[in-house]
Structure formats: C-alpha cells, structure tokens
Amino acid sequence: MESPLKEIPRELPALTRATKVLKKIDKYYEKGSSFEQDVEALQEAVERLKNYELSAYDKELGDIMADMLIRLSDIARIGKISQEQVLSDRIDDLIEKYE
C-alpha cells in the first residue's frame, strides 16, 4: 500500500505537486504551518539569501530557494490561491510589458 504522499504523481508541475503534498501532510500527519510561521520562515530564508555569496550553482543556493518555494506554496495553500494560475498570469504580464 502506498503512502498518501507517494500517491501524488511526480509528473505534476512542481508547484501543483507541492500544494497537494502540503495538504496531505496537514490531513494525515500533522497540522501544517500557519501563515505566520510560513512568513517567518520565508523571512529567514530571505536573510540567508541576502548573506549568500553568489557563485555558480551550488547546493546551498538550491536549498535556500527550495525552502522559499515550499513556504510560498504553503502560503498559497492556506490562502487557497492557485500558484500555477498566478504565476502564469504574472508571466503574461511580463510578456505584455516587454512586447
């Protein structure tokens, strides 16, 4: 029997998959983070990013970005916002701005 988290297809777009995983963690395992906890963790990740010395890709930068993305995903989940939709809309805005 598969775990509830492994039932979520890996083929989904990462932002969609993150939301589904976070929902199931909240439902089956433990109460998820609160909005305030996510914002605080996001602020901590931003501070780590500010202090990061940029060079070619390395694991530390990837870890910081992953922490930020998962917290943003949880904030979207809490706010019932479709990450894919808002990101697509913003991309369209950028295209309109530059074309």
Side-chain angles (χ1 to χ4, degrees):
M1 181 175 149
E2 266 191 65
S3 79
L5 300 178
K6 290 187 178 176
E7 291 174 350
I8 300 167
R10 290 187 61 83
E11 298 78 22
L12 289 173
L15 294 174
T16 299
R17 187 169 173 238
T19 299
K20 290 181 178 296
V21 166
L22 290 164
K23 280 182 184 177
K24 286 201 175 193
I25 288 172
D26 192 42
K27 181 177 180 181
Y28 292 106
Y29 298 97
E30 60 186 40
K31 179 72 176 126
S33 302
S34 69
F35 176 81
E36 292 80 12
Q37 289 170 318
D38 284 328
V39 170
E40 185 176 319
L42 189 55
Q43 288 171 327
E44 290 170 9
V46 168
E47 283 304 313
R48 287 176 29 219
L49 191 58
K50 280 184 186 177
N51 296 320
Y52 178 77
E53 197 154 318
L54 187 60
S55 60
Y57 175 85
D58 68 22
K59 185 171 176 1
E60 182 182 2
L61 179 58
D63 288 346
I64 293 169
M65 292 182 64
D67 289 345
M68 294 173 78
L69 287 167
I70 203 71
R71 291 301 178 160
L72 288 169
S73 293
D74 203 36
I75 290 168
R77 176 189 66 86
I78 291 166
K80 299 186 182 344
I81 292 171
S82 167
Q83 299 177 84
E84 297 291 340
Q85 186 61 55
V86 296
L87 184 56
S88 290
D89 291 348
R90 185 54 46 120
I91 291 166
D92 290 343
D93 292 346
L94 286 171
I95 291 169
E96 284 297 315
K97 178 179 178 180
Y98 289 99
E99 287 196 339

